[in-house]
């Protein structure tokens, strides 16, 4: 049973516009949420995170929003650039677990067209 | 300032052989995690180790798989008697020691080892 769901396998956006990637989760014990970006044949690269005690975190062009009541988070990229084209993974940490393992969604492939 | 290093990057094994995957964490990081990514899937947690200790192996198959992180040297993920279903990308990540609830030290990932079982 998937605890972290990314329901859109792919997303295509025009350069300069906003990209919105969505993620839903089921476990209320998750205390930290992260977004990772992954290029082909490379490991995931940390992008941005948010604690469950916050509802927004911003870092340059990237903003993550957390809606705890809906168990939903989203990543906004503004403005989108062709170099943002990659697979984006949403991940969550379960504080009730070993505190070490992250639970990943299946990813959303973002394509930013020039 | 090297990141997480994994070797080999590609490994081909025949069914029944052993696969050994190595991971050198970021210098100063004492926590290592192994994840597996099957085609079209997200990363799945396998095991979390500190130096000389297994902290959480809840994601590791009970048979044929083992992991270690010795006092000296890299972390090793060992798969005995490989089968075709073991073909996947195996990622290692490392982090500093974990802080209290509400805070987080991000995990830094290596480039992965792509295991192909013929």
């Amino acid at each position: 049973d998937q605890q972290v769901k990314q329901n859109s396998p792919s997303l295509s956006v025009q350069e300069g516009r906003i990209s919105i990637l969505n993620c839903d989760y089921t476990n209320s014990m998750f205390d930290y949420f992260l977004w990772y970006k992954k290029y082909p044949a490379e490991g995931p690269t940390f992008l941005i995170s948010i604690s469950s005690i916050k509802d927004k975190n911003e870092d340059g062009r990237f903003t993550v929003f957390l809606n705890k009541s809906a168990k939903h988070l989203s990543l906004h990229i503004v403005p989108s650039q062709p170099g943002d084209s990659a697979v984006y993974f949403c991940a969550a940490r379960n504080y009730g677990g070993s505190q070490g393992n992250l639970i990943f969604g299946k990813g959303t492939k973002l394509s930013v067209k020039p | 300032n090297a990141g997480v290093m994994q070797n080999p990057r590609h490994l081909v094994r025949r069914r029944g052989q052993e696969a050994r995957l190595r991971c050198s964490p970021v210098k100063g990081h004492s926590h290592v995690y192994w994840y597996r990514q099957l085609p079209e899937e997200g990363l799945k947690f396998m095991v979390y180790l500190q130096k000389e200790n297994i902290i959480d192996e809840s994601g590791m198959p009970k048979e044929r798989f083992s992991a270690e992180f010795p006092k000296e040297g890299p972390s090793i993920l060992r798969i005995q008697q490989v089968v075709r279903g073991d073909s996947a990308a195996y990622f290692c990540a490392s982090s500093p020691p974990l802080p209290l609830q509400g805070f987080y030290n991000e995990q830094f990932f290596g480039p992965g080892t792509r295991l192909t079982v013929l």
Side-chain angles (χ1 to χ4, degrees):
Chain A
D1 185 31
Q2 266 196 292
Q3 297 186 68
V4 177
K5 297 179 184 177
Q6 293 178 257
N7 291 319
S8 299
S10 62
L11 175 67
S12 184
V13 171
Q14 205 67 31
E15 180 179 6
R17 306 296 290 267
I18 184 171
S19 295
I20 301 176
L21 297 101
N22 293 304
C23 178
D24 297 295
Y25 63 95
T26 57
N27 191 336
S28 57
M29 290 295 290
F30 290 158
D31 74 327
Y32 230 87
F33 302 90
L34 307 94
W35 286 93
Y36 280 84
K37 174 181 178 180
K38 186 180 181 302
Y39 294 115
E42 294 185 11
T45 302
F46 171 75
L47 202 55
I48 192 169
S49 65
I50 187 167
S51 166
S52 60
I53 62 174
K54 296 188 175 181
D55 55 19
K56 178 182 175 181
N57 188 26
E58 193 172 350
D59 184 2
R61 296 187 298 115
F62 303 91
T63 303
V64 56
F65 296 91
L66 176 62
N67 182 335
K68 282 185 67 177
S69 60
K71 293 191 173 69
H72 177 84
L73 66 156
S74 61
L75 173 68
H76 292 210
I77 307 174
V78 182
S80 301
Q81 300 173 353
D84 295 331
S85 297
V87 177
Y88 288 78
F89 290 99
C90 171
R93 182 183 78 161
N94 181 358
Y95 187 75
S98 70
Q99 305 177 42
N101 57 309
L102 295 177
I103 299 168
F104 283 81
K106 290 189 176 184
T108 296
K109 184 175 182 179
L110 173 66
S111 299
V112 180
K113 300 188 184 308
Chain B
N1 188 16
V4 177
M5 301 183 69
Q6 291 187 249
N7 67 82
R9 293 292 308 275
H10 300 273
L11 182 60
V12 179
R13 285 288 177 266
R14 296 192 180 278
R15 280 179 298 170
Q17 291 184 320
E18 178 180 286
R20 277 182 181 247
L21 288 64
R22 292 174 185 78
C23 169
S24 296
V26 172
K27 190 175 181 181
H29 284 187
S30 55
H31 295 232
V32 164
Y33 316 82
W34 286 93
Y35 293 83
R36 176 166 66 175
Q37 185 184 24
L38 296 170
E40 310 301 323
E41 296 285 324
L43 282 74
K44 292 279 196 315
F45 167 77
M46 298 181 74
V47 62
Y48 161 35
L49 309 106
Q50 293 178 25
K51 285 283 187 181
E52 300 184 280
N53 286 307
I54 296 175
I55 306 302
D56 181 356
E57 56 182 349
S58 58
M60 193 105 94
K62 294 286 185 275
E63 297 179 353
R64 303 188 297 109
F65 285 73
S66 62
E68 62 176 9
F69 188 18
K71 189 176 180 182
E72 302 291 337
S75 175
I76 306 286
L77 179 67
R78 183 183 176 207
I79 311 172
Q80 295 177 290
Q81 300 171 351
V82 296
V83 301
R84 288 217 174 104
D86 297 332
S87 296
Y90 291 82
F91 292 97
C92 169
S94 74
S95 78
L98 295 172
L100 300 172
Q101 182 181 15
F103 299 89
Y104 183 76
N105 282 330
E106 66 174 276
Q107 296 180 16
F108 293 82
F109 281 82
T113 294
R114 274 143 192 87
L115 172 65
T116 301
V117 179
L118 301 177

